Amino acid sequence: MPPTLGSLLRTPRLRLRLLAGSDLLRREVEWVAVSELTDPTPYLAGGELVLTTGVRWADNPPDLRSYVRRLAQKNVAGLGFGVEVNFDRTPEELREAAEEFGLALIEVARETPFISIGKEVSRLLAQEEYEGLSRAFAAQRDLTRAALDGSAAVVDRLARELDARVLLLEPDGVVRHASPASAVDLAPDLVGELPRLRGAGPKIGASLVSGGARISLQPLATGRRVRGFLAVATREGFGSDDRTLVNAAVSLLSLELERPARGPGLGPGVLSALFAGALDPRHPGAEELMAGLPAEPVLVAAARGPVPDGPPPDGVLVTTVAGTGGALALSSAAGSGHLAEALGELFDGPVGLSEPVGYADLAVARSQAERALAAAEEEGRALLRSDELPGGLFGLLDSPAGLRLAEDLLAPIDRQRNAAELLASLRAYLAASGRWDAAAERLGVHRHTLRYRMRRIRELLPGDLDDPDHRTELWVALRLREGRS
């Protein structure tokens, strides 16, 4: 949450003194606005701490009662008055009006520049955003680990993280799992929405209000067929971090419901998380996971089309890739000749095969396999091995698979109306190594404009912009697309 008036008053170096509104210290300060206008309200959005010295009041005193009333009606966080500039002390009329209209009034000492208050609010907002992202990533990691124990564990974890009531429903509305158990009472209110959602397709959700709760209802599917629904009910709705967590749960549950487990205790959601690098099979607590995985070194195979019905060949684990219509297979590299023959029987179309790797390099192997698949499709070959392709990092990137990865990474931004502005801002921010002033100057915009855009980008992208690996991925994706434009 944004900083409060109380937190600013408790900052000694700001030398702030409360004159009115002792019961309003929990008001959140969303921004600081400095204005000497006699009526700044047309330029305010609400939630600001308005700062003024009354420089225009000496020659033409305004109606301070009307001035305060308008600010209170605009629902600003409070009013800060700088003394010893034009007035030795805060006008008594101003204090009386603040008491009358319920507006917090703060006196700002002459030694405290207004910019210091603005910087402190910006620092607290940035700290809150960073802490929120850290909590969100930790929650996503815990949610992914819960997938090791199946869909019910994912639902239970999501309910705890959001302090919400969560339902996992079959396509016909039958409750598959409820957390807590009392969440089952929500089911009758949702049944009427399901036929419409089934007809709308796998990407259309719904929001409704029932019994004082706000309910988000999302379909679960990896292809065109809806295999269930996830309902999440809260009292206050969702913040951006909450929506990110719900989306992660939808992805995990969609994969988990797509097919039954392939291998000892391993569901497709777990395999997908393994390929994405969200699970570390070498972790000391992952012995059970390792027991169900092929022995190192392993091979990764990529194919187009859904996972065929029936059991896979012995020693091969298979999962679908959400949103791509493709599949990934994992097998020990031992007997790779037999594996190539088995994959040819498993998939109808072309297959791309990685080089042998350990689990630490599974993400690299996946990229190799997908690049080999793209080349196999272009050349009309049934099977293509990664070591038959041009080597080097640029050889990997300059391929349909590399471009698709770049497009997938930037897709949340591409879907926005102001995608061009956001992409330009992201490029400038990365090029300046995160230095706000340098990036803003390069774009020709104010740094606050850039901060707003970057805050929006952080909400859209699933990764952490403070993570050097993620920043590198974004930079490479931007440069790769520029090279293809």
Side-chain angles (χ1 to χ4, degrees):
M1 58 181 291
T4 63
L5 288 173
S7 64
L8 293 178
L9 286 163
R10 290 191 295 271
T11 305
R13 60 186 177 81
L14 294 181
R15 303 180 186 86
L16 303 179
R17 186 165 71 96
L18 183 67
L19 300 182
S22 58
D23 57 335
L24 301 174
L25 298 184
R26 293 185 179 180
R27 292 292 300 270
E28 296 178 355
V29 180
E30 298 180 8
W31 202 244
V32 172
V34 179
S35 176
E36 300 295 349
L37 296 175
T38 55
D39 182 13
T41 55
Y43 308 99
L44 300 176
E48 300 93 347
L49 173 61
V50 180
L51 302 178
T52 185
T53 63
V55 67
R56 294 189 178 183
W57 299 0
D59 298 329
N60 186 22
D63 182 347
L64 293 183
R65 186 173 181 275
S66 296
Y67 174 80
V68 171
R69 175 176 53 79
R70 287 193 295 266
L71 290 177
Q73 290 175 344
K74 197 66 176 182
N75 200 32
V76 300
L79 173 64
F81 190 83
V83 295
E84 298 184 49
V85 178
N86 295 288
F87 293 82
D88 291 336
R89 57 194 299 269
T90 304
E92 183 63 21
E93 184 182 352
L94 196 63
R95 187 194 63 77
E96 292 174 354
E99 292 283 6
E100 178 182 354
F101 293 108
L103 180 69
L105 178 61
I106 296 172
E107 188 172 86
V108 184
R110 179 68 177 87
E111 298 80 8
T112 302
F114 283 177
I115 190 63
S116 297
I117 303 175
K119 286 184 175 180
E120 179 64 12
V121 170
S122 295
R123 185 189 69 80
L124 292 173
L125 286 171
Q127 177 180 318
E128 187 272 336
E129 182 178 359
Y130 174 78
E131 291 175 351
L133 286 171
S134 298
R135 289 192 299 270
F137 277 109
Q140 287 185 61
R141 182 182 63 247
D142 293 341
L143 198 66
T144 304
R145 288 174 176 168
L148 287 167
D149 296 322
S151 58
V154 173
V155 171
D156 291 338
R157 188 75 205 185
L158 183 64
R160 287 196 299 271
E161 292 290 347
L162 298 181
D163 190 22
R165 290 179 291 167
V166 182
L167 277 180
L168 179 60
L169 303 173
E170 299 285 0
D172 59 1
V174 173
V175 177
R176 181 165 180 164
H177 187 68
S179 183
S182 60
V184 72
D185 296 338
L186 297 170
D189 297 330
L190 306 177
V191 172
E193 291 288 330
L194 300 187
R196 181 179 67 82
L197 289 183
R198 285 194 294 267
K203 295 185 179 181
I204 305 299
S207 297
L208 59 150
V209 178
S210 177
R214 300 182 181 182
I215 305 174
S216 172
L217 187 59
Q218 301 293 330
L220 304 174
T222 57
R224 291 184 173 273
R225 181 181 174 187
V226 175
R227 299 187 179 275
F229 295 92
L230 178 69
V232 183
T234 63
R235 289 289 178 186
E236 300 180 356
F238 299 115
S240 60
D241 295 341
D242 298 334
R243 285 191 292 271
T244 299
L245 196 57
V246 170
N247 291 338
V250 167
S251 298
L252 287 169
L253 291 170
S254 295
L255 290 165
E256 197 69 31
L257 296 179
E258 179 68 18
R259 293 191 58 80
R262 295 295 189 107
L266 295 177
V270 176
L271 287 177
S272 178
L274 187 67
F275 278 118
L279 295 176
D280 183 2
R282 299 162 302 150
H283 190 278
E287 290 84 358
E288 293 185 15
L289 175 61
M290 283 297 293
L293 294 174
E296 297 179 286
V298 294
L299 293 171
V300 174
R304 201 73 63 202
V307 177
D309 294 327
D314 291 341
V316 178
L317 302 178
V318 184
T319 184
T320 54
V321 182
T324 68
L328 293 172
L330 179 67
S331 174
S332 175
S336 59
H338 168 71
L339 174 62
E341 181 181 347
L343 291 173
E345 297 175 357
L346 182 64
F347 298 107
D348 294 332
V351 175
L353 197 62
S354 75
E355 298 180 17
V357 298
Y359 282 110
D361 297 319
L362 200 60
V364 174
R366 174 181 177 175
S367 296
Q368 292 175 347
E370 290 179 335
R371 181 186 174 216
L373 170 61
E377 291 174 326
E378 290 181 353
E379 299 175 15
R381 296 177 57 176
L383 177 70
L384 186 62
R385 299 175 182 274
S386 176
D387 56 11
E388 299 178 63
L389 298 173
L393 179 59
F394 288 103
L396 173 62
L397 293 178
D398 189 18
S399 69
L403 183 59
R404 187 176 73 249
L405 289 172
E407 296 290 352
D408 290 345
L409 186 61
L410 299 173
I413 299 178
D414 289 333
R415 289 192 288 267
Q416 306 306 305
R417 290 184 179 179
N418 60 336
E421 290 181 351
L422 295 177
L423 289 170
S425 298
L426 176 60
R427 193 189 190 287
Y429 177 79
L430 296 175
S433 301
R435 298 192 302 274
W436 293 106
D437 290 339
E441 182 178 355
R442 179 172 299 185
L443 287 170
V445 301
H446 195 278
R447 64 178 180 276
H448 291 327
T449 300
L450 178 60
R451 285 183 184 274
Y452 170 80
R453 292 178 184 175
M454 293 306 302
R455 187 180 305 120
R456 179 62 181 146
I457 289 170
R458 286 178 182 270
E459 292 174 354
L460 292 170
L461 296 179
D464 183 358
L465 275 177
D466 295 324
D467 182 352
D469 291 340
H470 186 56
R471 289 163 76 147
T472 302
E473 287 180 348
L474 291 170
W475 177 254
V476 171
L478 289 168
R479 293 302 301 272
L480 181 58
R481 292 215 315 189
E482 291 170 1
R484 291 298 185 99
S485 61

